[in-house]
Amino acid sequence: MIINDNRPGVFISSTTSDFIDLRSSLGYYLEKSGYRVYMSETSTFPVNPNKSNFEQCFELINQCQYYILLIGYKRGSWYKHGVSTITQQEFRHARSKFEKTGDISLLTFIRDDVWSIVSEYKRSGGIYKPKIMEDTEFTERFINEVTRDEDFSEAQQQGRDFPRTTWVSRFNRFSDIIDVLSITMNIETNRRMEILRSLAINELQENIRACFDDYTATKKAYPFYIYLEGIIASKIMKGLTLPAGEVKNFAALGVLALDTNRFKLKAVQELLSSGELLDYDINSRRYKKSPVMKIAEVMIKEVNRLQNFFENQVKYSEWMPQLKGLSMMARRMDNKELIEIPEDLFLVLWMLGRTKVIFNNAWHIYQFLRYPEKDFSKELSQLGPESYHLLTVSGEKVEPVPLEKVQEWFENQGRDF
């Protein structure tokens, strides 16, 4: 019976007699790294009395995401005498699963001196057979099967696609194996990265929510900056005057200024520090900031600027009544009539309008982290300069985010935030 366990599964396959210490160390290391490890000699190896030991091993391989093969000096016990060994048959079963489904990674490690012995055995025409090797001829055939040398040669000669194969590495010491596993299985970082991503996703949801007005009654969410498109986007301003149609809803904007602490940055900052969002540039052979990392940095700077601004604002009791007064005045005027906006109040409104950048960037970062299987490179490449740069009060024109897209985002979450 297989125990239910949501950790990634690893099956370690090899002869036991010449790998007992290495298997024990490797199993311990992988267990501590968050993997579910299956080795036939351990007390935790599941046993099903209704199946043979072989069937049980094959079933466990089917449950695993990784198969690790160790090849050393010993041939091991026969599965079918003179035809295949138990370890060889386990490998064939894992490879069959890999070729059929692709949902298991095959990692093979061959002792460096075994590789050298087999190479010398080939060069000597089968004469060189050191006593340390139990069956040099078999080991040669097994390595050829693992590396698929003949299949590669035929494919090359006939112009066919090369066969899918396993990852083969040579090793002298335990650390050689760990170095490979750290790269191929992301052992050192995978669990920490998953946690950081999850925390960042939750934090980004909060930041997106903080950019919206109170929608709990209507179940409809609208960004604060939608009320301020005239301030952010309009270039017809004369001094600090705005059309009355742009001023009518100013009274609703004071809500955000009271609670800028709703914006959270800790998890996103830790994710940036981890290097997870860096891209590797093949040409320069250096890591560089990815588009997602760049817009995350701008989002963080905008949140800090917004919070610092309102923390230093001691005149809320003065400019909030001004907002209400201007709104009431605007409702009695024609939409095109101009209303003069006090300079300090204009700056308050402009700062609130900067939540557009916070929302836009948080949106794209959220999508990137929430759906890692999707390619957002095209969408990210189409972002305008607004997403990548901090603007001054006289910032350039930007296009508004369609409200349909905002509403769709919230509906897709399946719950209110």
Side-chain angles (χ1 to χ4, degrees):
M1 179 179 180
I2 297 177
I3 301 173
N4 291 327
D5 194 329
N6 61 2
R7 293 176 298 168
V10 182
F11 190 96
I12 299 178
S13 178
S14 72
T15 56
T16 304
S17 58
D18 59 338
F19 280 120
I20 185 66
D21 292 338
L22 181 60
R23 286 168 63 92
S24 177
S25 299
L26 186 56
Y28 178 81
Y29 174 78
L30 290 171
E31 284 281 354
K32 288 297 183 180
S33 299
Y35 291 84
R36 169 172 39 95
V37 181
Y38 292 122
M39 297 187 295
S40 58
E41 71 271 25
T42 62
S43 59
T44 57
F45 192 81
V47 176
N48 188 335
N50 298 319
K51 295 184 178 181
S52 68
N53 292 340
F54 304 137
E55 290 176 310
Q56 183 68 1
C57 287
F58 299 153
E59 183 176 337
L60 289 171
I61 291 172
N62 289 338
Q63 304 298 319
C64 290
Q65 287 71 49
Y66 295 93
Y67 171 88
I68 296 177
L69 171 65
L70 306 173
I71 297 179
Y73 307 119
K74 302 297 183 181
R75 180 195 64 220
S77 302
W78 291 108
Y79 177 74
K80 292 182 180 180
H81 189 77
V83 177
S84 62
T85 65
I86 296 172
T87 301
Q88 189 177 28
Q89 201 63 31
E90 289 172 348
F91 171 77
R92 289 174 177 176
H93 186 86
R95 169 169 279 175
S96 176
K97 172 177 163 60
F98 169 72
E99 292 175 341
K100 289 178 181 178
T101 66
D103 60 1
I104 187 171
S105 296
L106 278 59
L107 305 170
T108 297
F109 296 90
I110 304 174
R111 284 192 187 279
D112 191 61
D113 52 349
V114 169
W115 188 282
S116 298
I117 289 171
V118 170
S119 297
E120 184 60 30
Y121 173 79
K122 292 179 181 179
R123 284 194 295 269
S124 69
I127 297 175
Y128 180 69
K129 295 181 180 181
K131 293 182 179 180
I132 194 173
M133 293 292 292
E134 181 179 10
D135 189 336
T136 309
E137 183 180 359
F138 167 81
T139 303
E140 180 202 11
R141 293 199 309 269
F142 191 18
I143 291 177
N144 288 339
E145 179 179 349
V146 171
T147 58
R148 304 190 74 165
D149 286 349
E150 293 182 3
D151 293 339
F152 270 90
S153 297
E154 289 181 5
Q156 191 174 36
Q157 293 171 4
Q158 299 174 15
R160 295 186 285 105
D161 292 338
F162 289 109
R164 300 173 69 187
T165 187
T166 184
W167 184 307
V168 179
S169 302
R170 295 158 63 174
F171 73 97
N172 281 313
R173 55 186 67 87
F174 180 65
S175 60
D176 295 336
I177 296 177
I178 297 307
D179 288 342
V180 173
L181 296 184
S182 296
I183 297 173
T184 58
M185 297 170 66
N186 295 320
I187 285 178
E188 300 296 339
T189 59
N190 61 348
R191 295 192 74 193
R192 180 171 178 267
M193 285 304 105
E194 288 178 9
I195 293 172
L196 281 179
R197 280 174 172 259
S198 177
L199 292 175
I201 285 171
N202 292 335
E203 195 171 81
L204 289 164
Q205 290 175 344
E206 294 301 314
N207 288 343
I208 291 172
R209 183 181 69 173
C211 293
F212 289 79
D213 60 6
D214 185 5
Y215 66 96
T216 53
T218 62
K219 299 298 180 183
K220 293 183 178 181
Y222 298 107
F224 279 97
Y225 68 81
I226 290 294
Y227 301 122
L228 297 164
E229 292 298 345
I231 290 181
I232 303 173
S234 177
K235 289 192 175 181
I236 62 169
M237 292 175 56
K238 298 179 180 179
L240 297 177
T241 59
L242 287 173
E246 300 286 349
V247 181
K248 291 181 177 180
N249 294 316
F250 279 5
L253 297 173
V255 179
L256 180 65
L258 293 176
D259 195 13
T260 55
N261 288 327
R262 288 184 298 171
F263 291 106
K264 307 297 181 183
L265 298 174
K266 182 178 179 181
V268 175
Q269 288 174 324
E270 288 187 8
L271 188 63
L272 290 183
S273 300
S274 72
E276 174 75 357
L277 300 182
L278 287 171
D279 281 344
Y280 186 73
D281 184 3
I282 297 177
N283 295 325
S284 65
R285 296 184 180 181
R286 294 181 179 180
Y287 284 95
K288 63 179 183 179
K289 293 180 181 179
S290 66
V292 171
M293 188 171 185
K294 291 179 181 178
I295 64 175
E297 289 178 336
V298 172
M299 182 195 74
I300 290 171
K301 290 178 180 178
E302 286 286 5
V303 169
N304 284 330
R305 182 162 65 164
L306 189 71
Q307 291 177 333
N308 291 335
F309 176 83
F310 283 109
E311 284 176 4
N312 296 326
Q313 278 289 326
V314 294
K315 296 183 178 181
Y316 174 78
S317 59
E318 297 180 9
W319 56 257
M320 187 56 190
Q322 291 184 67
L323 285 174
K324 292 181 179 179
L326 288 171
S327 295
M328 294 177 63
M329 180 190 304
R331 289 169 186 163
R332 296 193 297 266
M333 300 171 61
D334 182 82
N335 286 342
K336 295 182 179 181
E337 289 188 68
L338 296 178
I339 297 179
E340 185 176 352
I341 309 295
E343 185 174 355
D344 58 343
L345 187 59
F346 168 79
L347 186 57
V348 168
L349 295 175
W350 187 88
M351 289 300 299
L352 291 174
R354 294 299 295 160
T355 58
K356 175 186 179 69
V357 176
I358 298 174
F359 164 73
N360 262 348
N361 290 14
W363 169 285
H364 286 97
I365 303 165
Y366 173 89
Q367 296 288 326
F368 179 85
L369 297 178
R370 180 67 179 80
Y371 305 105
E373 72 281 1
K374 295 184 179 180
D375 182 6
F376 288 99
S377 56
K378 182 178 179 181
E379 183 175 3
L380 290 170
S381 68
Q382 294 175 345
L383 291 179
E386 168 85 343
S387 297
Y388 292 98
H389 301 288
L390 294 170
L391 299 181
T392 61
V393 174
S394 59
E396 61 191 65
K397 181 178 180 179
V398 294
E399 297 296 327
V401 174
L403 289 179
E404 295 82 6
K405 197 169 185 178
V406 176
Q407 192 62 32
E408 180 184 354
W409 185 88
F410 275 92
E411 291 172 355
N412 288 341
Q413 305 317 301
R415 65 184 180 88
D416 291 332
F417 290 107

